[in-house]
Amino acid sequence: MTTTPNTALKRVLFVCLGNICRSPAAEGIMRSIVEEQGNPDEWIIDSAGTGNYHVGDLPDHRMRIHARRRGLDLTHRCRQVRTEDFDDFDLIIGMDASNIANLRRIAPSPEAEAKIHAMAEYFSPSARYDYVPDPYYEGAEGFELVLDLLQDGCQNLYDQLKQY
Ligand code: 4NP
C-alpha cells in the first residue's frame, strides 16, 4: 500500500496562560468534535501555555471534573509554547488578549504572527463574551462558562475548517 501526503491536514494549537484550564479543555473539546463528526487523521490538535508554572502537570483537577461531567477525559500534560510551534501549526488560538499579546511577542516572523487568532473569533454572535475568561480563581460557574464558550467556539471552528 502506498501512502499519499495528507493535504487536508489541519494543525491547531490552543494557548492560554497556565495550560492547565482553558487550553487543554479546548484541545479536549476539539478532539471530541473531530472524533464524532470528522476524520481524526486529518487533524493535529494540541495545547500549550505562555507561562511555565505547571509544566508536566495534568489539567487542573477542577477542570478535569467539570469536563468529565461532559464526557471529556483531559489527559494533556502541560507544556510551554515554543518558537517551533509557529512552524508546526497553521492556527495558534489564544484564549484572551494577554495570551495573544504574549504570542505576538514570541512570533518569529510576520508569517508566524499571522497564524495567531483569538478563540472569540469563533464564538457565535449571541455569545456574551469576547474572550475566554480565566477560571483559575473562580468557582464552579467559571469552569462551566469556559466549557460552554469553548464548545460553541470549537464547533464553529470545526465547521469552518472541515471544508478545507
Ligand atoms: P489557564 O488558567 O491559563 O486557563 O490554564 C490558569 C492556570 C494557572 C494560573 C493562571 C491561569 N496560575 O497563575 O498558576
Side-chain angles (χ1 to χ4, degrees):
M1 195 177 79
T2 56
T3 50
T4 48
N6 190 345
T7 51
L9 196 62
K10 292 165 265 288
R11 308 175 300 168
V12 182
L13 180 69
F14 295 100
V15 174
C16 61
L17 171 59
N19 191 215
I20 54 168
C21 294
R22 293 166 292 176
S23 61
E27 177 193 340
I29 287 170
M30 195 69 194
R31 190 164 281 132
S32 82
I33 289 171
V34 166
E35 280 166 5
E36 285 167 17
Q37 302 173 33
N39 179 359
D41 292 343
E42 290 183 359
W43 294 77
I44 294 175
I45 302 165
D46 196 5
S47 66
T50 58
N52 65 358
Y53 332 107
H54 298 282
V55 168
D57 292 354
L58 280 167
D60 184 284
H61 69 280
R62 297 164 297 171
M63 183 53 91
R64 296 188 77 200
I65 288 168
H66 286 275
R68 187 71 222 132
R69 289 186 191 146
R70 299 179 184 218
L72 294 169
D73 219 1
L74 301 183
T75 57
H76 175 78
R77 289 285 175 174
C78 175
R79 74 169 179 88
Q80 192 169 24
V81 178
R82 41 187 181 246
T83 314
E84 306 89 77
D85 285 326
F86 288 91
D87 292 325
D88 295 343
F89 293 91
D90 307 306
L91 277 179
I92 300 186
I93 300 180
M95 297 293 135
D96 63 27
S98 165
N99 307 151
I100 288 165
N102 285 324
L103 284 167
R104 286 199 199 294
R105 258 197 292 280
I106 60 168
S109 67
E111 294 74 23
E113 195 171 342
K115 295 182 172 185
I116 301 169
H117 292 263
M119 189 71 227
E121 289 174 36
Y122 307 98
F123 290 172
S124 295
S126 58
R128 292 179 298 125
Y129 283 79
D130 61 3
Y131 64 103
V132 184
D134 184 349
Y136 195 64
Y137 297 105
E138 303 296 331
E141 64 288 350
F143 287 86
E144 287 296 314
L145 170 64
V146 166
L147 289 167
D148 287 344
L149 291 170
L150 292 175
Q151 188 70 48
D152 174 57
C154 286
Q155 183 64 56
N156 292 331
L157 173 62
Y158 173 78
D159 290 341
Q160 264 189 38
L161 291 182
K162 71 178 178 190
Q163 55 201 319
Y164 295 109

